[in-house]
Amino acid sequence: MAWAQVCASCCQQLAEAVLLTRAGVAAEERNPLLGPVFHDQPSGPSILRGPGSPYSGFSCSLNTPTSSDPFSGAHGDQGQSHENSSPWGPGATAAWPAAVLLADLEQDPKQRQGECALPQASPAGLAPLKPEASRSSRTGLTSCGRARVAAEAGAGTTDWAGPEPECWPPCCHGSPGNSEPRRSLSPLPEPPSVMLLNGDCPESLKKEEGVAEPPRENGLDEAEAGDETTGQEVIVIQDTGFSVKILAPGIEPFSLQVSPQEMVQEIHQVLMDREDTCHRTCFSLHLDGNMLDHFSELRTIEGLQEGSVLRVVEEPYTVREARIHVRHVRDLLKSLDPADAFNGVDCNSLSFLSVFTDGDLGDSGKRKKGLEMDPIDCTPPEYILPGSRERPLCPLQPQNRDWKPLQCLKVLTMSGWNPPPGNRKMHGDLMYLFVITAEDRQVSITASTRGFYLNQSTAYHFNPKPASPRFLSHSLVELLNQISPTFKKNFAVLQKKRVQRHPFERIATPFQVYSWTAPQAEHAMDCVRAEDAYTSRLGYEEHIPGQTRDWNEELQTTRELPRKNLPERLLRERAIFKVHSDFTAAATRGAVAVIDGNVMAINPSEETKMQMFIWNNIFFSLGFDVRDHYKDFGGDVAAYVAPTNDLNGVRTYNAVDVEGLYTLGTVVVDYRGYRVTAQSIIPGILERDQEQSVIYGSIDFGKTVVSHPRYLELLERTSRPLKLLRHRVLNDRDEEVELCSSVECKGIIGNDGRHYILDLLRTFPPDLNFLPVPGEELPEECVRAGFPRAHRHKLCCLRQELVDAFVEHRYLLFMKLAALQLMQQKAGKAEGPATLENGGPLSSEATPEDCPGPEAGNEEEGSNASGLAKVKELAETIASDDGTADPRSREVIRNACKAVGSISSTAFDIRFNPDIFSPGVRFPDSCQDEVRDQKQLLKDAAAFLLSCQIPGLVKDCAEHAVLPMDGATLAEVMRQRGINMRYLGKVLDLVLRSPAREQLDHIFKIGIGELITRSAKHIFKTYLQGVELSGLSAAISHFLNCFLSSYPNPVAHLPADELVSKKRNKRRKNRPPGAADNTAWAVMTPQALWKNICQEAKNYFDFSLECETVDQAVETYGLQKITLLREISLKTGIQILLKEYSFDSRHKPAFTEEDVLNIFPVVKHVNPKASDAFHFFQSGQAKVQQGFLKEGCELISEALNLFNNVYGAMHVEICVCLRLLARLHYIMGDYAEALSNQQKAVLMSERVLGIEHPNTIQEYMHLALYCFASSQLSTALSLLYRARYLMLLVFGEDHPEMALLDNNIGLVLHGVMEYDLSLRFLENALAVSTKYHGPKALKVALSHHLVARVYESKAEFRSALQHEKEGYTIYKTQLGEDHEKTKESSEYLKCLTQQAVALQRTMNEIYRNGSSANIPPLKFTAPSMASVLEQLNVINGILFIPLSQKDLENLKAEVARRHQLQEASKSRDKAEEPMATEPEPAGAPQDMASQPGAAKDSSPSLQA
């Protein structure tokens, strides 16, 4: 039964069925996934804590992978490392055991750039549950009946995940049964005064009228007065586990911990993963002789209780079960083989942490090698030492000793005698297998209904009779154990190793992560992979009987799921996430098949570029301007960027999440130089013309325009959060048509009755800096910066983040202007308002000093606070329009509204018309004033980007508030501030002109590297389009040689036949898009390529590169070739062989054809979010920031559970949660728990972001600190060395973060008394700190002190004194004589002087009296571990402050007082309706963030 025919009442069951996940992932992976085990959990093997879906998880983090903490507000957002990157900002003073956390936990929302801070969001964003809802707060399948409905709705419809054939019931892993949070959720905390949602506030929780939850405007959820439910309501979820006994054939009975919420099939999954039962797949469980239904929940089974005995009973096989069994055996044999991760298959990815920890973290928490100081080899490899110029590539992927797996079999494959002939089918033969054992014995095996046995067939002779030994085994593994001793021995060892691996090393990630390097691997025979490659090309997905998945129905049905309470929202978000990740995987596979020529076009007679394809119910089109559609916008160039603009539009409308408005599933894939857009198909769209279908919008860019009342109503609900203006345009008959989006946005009602919007490429207003319009003058700042510049296409839009930042900036301006006028009125200055009225619309540069946005104007606002409060009160009164407002006050608000460009004269409301300056769009005469104002607003926004956002970014970089480490993290930091990548040249210009040029050196290098590799990527794209598949590796290696090799004239190697074959040119028209007979690529030279790169940099980024060769670029800009290789490979999907490349050889090219292993697709897709979990996380952060560490920790653990529910086990946001939990546990003294959480964070970062991603480097550093604290010294050092190697590869040595890393390494080496080595690292850190922070910075003073301590330990007192004096001078000038730090330094100087004097005396004594001298013993200080750890905490931004009980009480009183103040102001704000949608003035939330008392004194010490 197809999805489309399922009635509405089945939607929920079907969506739940969506959540059943892929097979082949072992079940024990589920056990430790939901974070810290709570003490009320029973011990023993448990299946209680399964994640919702292991096949889930990687979305771009809420802000950026750059940031050390994508969730934390303040600096974390902007990419700051937790440790030392910021001045000691609003810290958090902990109440237990008093500690201060740095940027990790700072949450001053006003420091967010490009995000609106929203007043009065609901408590933790959670709707209180009604009593009846909490009774059934399960989010999984609630009865076997419902599960069966889902199962039968299409026997295979639910068998979606993963490429395994026909493997739904037994392989379903981590079922929806686990989706509820696993303990009663704590009473929800009071929210911080400002809640932040990503970008703008999505209406994701907006409900239909009549539901208990209040409607949300702009994502705000205001608690309704008098509602009987409160934010304090507890959501109770029962979860009392019990244990059952399992009796399986051939092994001892064992007990298993289960939960009433689990389904029977989850016990199946656990048994299929246990070392002693893993070889069974086809069995049922019996209780008291009755077979249990797969999909029953345990609590519905009569008689199942503590101590019940479940018997494993072997069932007869079917062809489907036999296939599942063979696939499972193959997976067990391959379980340690990294080939799938290197090949980018099945969401496998790499992790190397276990190589550096020897796998012994966490098990015991403490290692055998404790403090006994066993000899530790601390010497790092030469290439890791400071000053080394060598950048080897091989250590990037060290050989894991488990990867040379023991060979169990030589070959296991399907026999050529399949399928069995009819007469053998009637004997029960299902299929035949061919096996070559490790002893070289060739055997044929029959899979029959009763099990597996040897038959007498050979490769050329069919004889199905049983062979001797006549042994029938229900499991293939048991049969192979009988016939091959090597198999028996090695398989047992393999399974032992498999179950010892950390679950996070083997769980599938939600989206595929590709590796840009891989070692040379032998290609092994693999029956399962061969079968997958063949069947998936037929368009039948995952062996679903007789049908493919209806992606559109799945995507839309999940959106229609109810969302009234937390369990419903969890189920909904989880279903949405699951379907999106499946759709992305299918679309990627389809796009690759299309470009490789394996899919038949639906219009095969047309030219290749114009062809369209349908595969697996997904529509594919190529990024070419096929029917002069984009002729006025830039032709093919516009057609290439339109899909990404459209995808951004889809993301935005999905985030706003308006009920009744639907978008298409959209994935954009770049592969082999082509851009493919994959979209789900609107029901009925293929059966009618587009002209008939479109009932809203325009199909010809504004000539014919239509509208529709239902679309206007739906889009009106998106207009506030998206800041879009409802407007009128003229159609070709000069009739006025009303729209609430751009004209290109089309509305189509599908055959399913849903209202779809598509072509969202102009959702946001145009960027006038790149759109010259005749007769329009841009503001002065734009002209000064050389704008407007003609771009290659006319589809340049402003980013949503920029629109939000601009509106926030205008809001601050509005408040200030109104406050100023009120004060003038008060003072009786009647002339005040006139000055404003005459000023006309204010352009954003009116207050340039405020521009860096969120912090704007804090100084004046201290004094203006009362004025601003009055303005808010006044605005509320006027907005409510009850006539009580004084006319003069109305005038004040009207003037302020007019000055900032608000569309309303009674409240602040800025919106953009996306059709302004669109070619072909005409506006009615009656709207001319509005159009003029809108044009001015767009000009102001363009000026705001140049005069505020870019300088703000450069300022943040100079102050190290953000620390990008590579191109991707720099791009992320720019995008967060709404700065498109086409402004990269302008950012670099500003960096060059900045007075802090020296402090911005790393930004300049990263920017230049990014500019070069992006320009090279643009050239590579068109270069690859002309390459035939057979010449691909030759072409790519030739390009890389021209790009990176010093060899002056590399020659392309063409396959010989390609030049002589005459027949090829007469090929049929319908060849795949990659099959151009073009060898023009072979004539490229390094000189020509670099000339093109410089030209591209100038044309696209408006930046002049001063280099003609790669060697000049490296020398001029201080770049590394290995870094450029990594960047270009990641951007284009190239995978190269892991070996050392001699880039600088002038005698032979660096790359050969054999070095290019693969080319992967680069995929852009939507990242659905877990909103409730995010609110919990924020509430936890707020608690921690107020000093309530324990409560914060509980809330963040709860957030972790909810994230696991939505995303499954693997996700960037879960990684952030784990990191913060680890930090909290560390501060609270629980090192073992810190270690366990941080280990998970490192593994997850490696798996979902990449093994050398800047985030992963930071995770390694944190883990090293916790290892050191747990006395695992050698592990701590290996982790730090790994982090340093990765940083050298990704950027090089000259990065501010390297100072922190080297300080860490130097301190640990000091602790193990390796003084000389320690000095090398500490002195390098000192040099780097001095360069990036200036010689007078407190960080530099701390660096001097660390160096002095090592010299003291070496008894070189003169050097020690010299460094400590430097540090003392800095402290004295920066902090004054009386500061604690200055005094400490002074004491230490005295101590050093005394030691120096004592040593000198001793030396003099020796000189005078020779060997008979009476020498008093000298006191050399070997550092204590405690003192080293203390210093490590300081440099990593964790400071423990000893507080007395009285201090603590004062602190709590202060926090409570501030909380009351906030409550008071909040109750005042309640009435505010239109204003509530806008951010508060910058001064307001500062109370929350600035911390009282004890922190103040010590703050400067942390800056050090």
Side-chain angles (χ1 to χ4, degrees), residues 148-178:
R148 203 182 291 288
V149 172
E152 288 165 1
T157 311
T158 40
D159 175 20
W160 296 335
E164 294 76 2
E166 313 157 8
C167 56
W168 181 35
C171 308
C172 195
H173 163 66
S175 87
N178 292 344

Side-chain angles (χ1 to χ4, degrees), residues 1001-1027:
D1001 198 33
H1002 61 301
I1003 300 294
F1004 186 67
K1005 281 182 188 167
I1006 295 169
I1008 289 285
E1010 184 70 353
L1011 194 127
I1012 288 174
T1013 46
R1014 276 178 182 267
S1015 302
K1017 180 186 81 170
H1018 296 164
I1019 296 161
F1020 184 68
K1021 180 189 81 188
T1022 45
Y1023 171 89
L1024 265 196
Q1025 286 177 8
V1027 178

